[in-house]
Amino acid sequence: MNQRALIYKRFPILLSIDCGNTLFGQTLNPFNHKKTSGGSSGGDAALVGGGGSLIGIGTDVAASIRVPCGFCGICGFKPTGYRLSVKGTTSPVDGMNAAINVTGPLARDMDSLVLCMKALLCDELFRLDPAVPPLPFNDEIYSSSRPLRIGYYDGDGYFQPSPSMRRAVQETRKLLQEAGHTLIPFTPPRINFLVDELFTKGVSADGCSTLVENL
């Protein structure tokens, strides 16, 4: 509010790549009402993609910002854990620490995401939530033209990506290389342990009682 933003909609969805519930019904894709907006931050994505809002604030544990942004043709950003405040958000599991719930912006273009991050990473946020590291947006690093070393993969050995996903990664790799960056392929280590032991058991450590209670 101190940044002169008007908050006028909140969407209550948890742990789903769809976006609908028995209280508010189904959220639809703004460009094709026969398809979903994606989720779980699909309400924000549909609103931004359809021109109803300039910025949305979603939460992301396992692609809940990234999936609906892809479905609705907009941009999203999942920051590092605890980079932005998660006060006022709902976690699917009380005390969930193995898989961190992250707050991040959704917008129609990258410039709007940057503007949002600059506005949020301010002294007022650091004062309101001492758990957020007091590190302002570093415009010098963002504006730097120094070539980067970027790791990438188009398959993690656990989940099978669709052909369109693989193509998107390879097209992005090509564009980044043409821009002068170094792209290094890698395979995520111990992926079965990561998914089965850390993530799956981490988000259901309470036997899903919190999730059922919220539903």
Side-chain angles (χ1 to χ4, degrees), residues 2 8 22 28 41 61 77-78 82 85 110 113 130 134 137 146 160-161 166 179 193 195 210-212:
N2 290 337
Y8 66 96
T22 55
L28 304 177
S41 300
V61 175
F77 179 55
K78 179 186 179 181
Y82 305 119
S85 178
M110 288 295 298
L113 293 181
F137 187 95
R146 180 176 63 87
Q160 179 65 36
R166 253 187 229 280
F193 175 77
V195 175
T210 310
L211 182 61
V212 171

Side-chain angles (χ1 to χ4, degrees), residues 79-162:
T80 299
Y82 305 119
R83 187 69 172 109
L84 296 177
S85 178
V86 293
K87 279 191 172 182
T89 64
T90 300
S91 174
V93 178
D94 284 340
M96 186 176 70
N97 292 314
I100 300 171
N101 189 30
V102 175
T103 305
L106 301 82
R108 302 192 76 175
D109 54 67
M110 288 295 298
D111 288 340
S112 297
L113 293 181
V114 172
L115 180 63
C116 182
M117 291 299 293
K118 286 182 178 180
L120 291 175
L121 294 174
C122 62
D123 290 338
E124 182 69 8
L125 173 65
F126 306 145
R127 184 186 66 80
L128 291 172
D129 190 350
V132 176
L135 299 172
F137 187 95
N138 193 323
D139 199 60
E140 180 180 352
I141 293 178
Y142 174 73
S143 303
S144 173
S145 58
R146 180 176 63 87
L148 302 174
R149 288 168 58 86
I150 303 170
Y152 78 95
Y153 58 89
D154 61 8
D156 60 15
Y158 191 99
F159 297 102
Q160 179 65 36
S162 68

Side-chain angles (χ1 to χ4, degrees), residues 161-209:
S162 68
S164 61
M165 292 177 183
R166 253 187 229 280
R167 184 174 66 249
V169 171
Q170 293 300 330
E171 288 177 355
T172 302
R173 173 195 58 78
K174 184 173 182 293
L175 290 171
L176 288 170
Q177 287 177 326
E178 291 174 350
H181 303 292
T182 300
L183 276 290
I184 303 172
F186 77 97
T187 301
R190 304 178 69 191
I191 186 66
N192 288 349
F193 175 77
L194 172 65
V195 175
D196 296 338
E197 298 296 324
L198 297 184
F199 177 76
T200 304
K201 291 184 178 180
V203 299
S204 58
D206 67 342
C208 294
S209 61

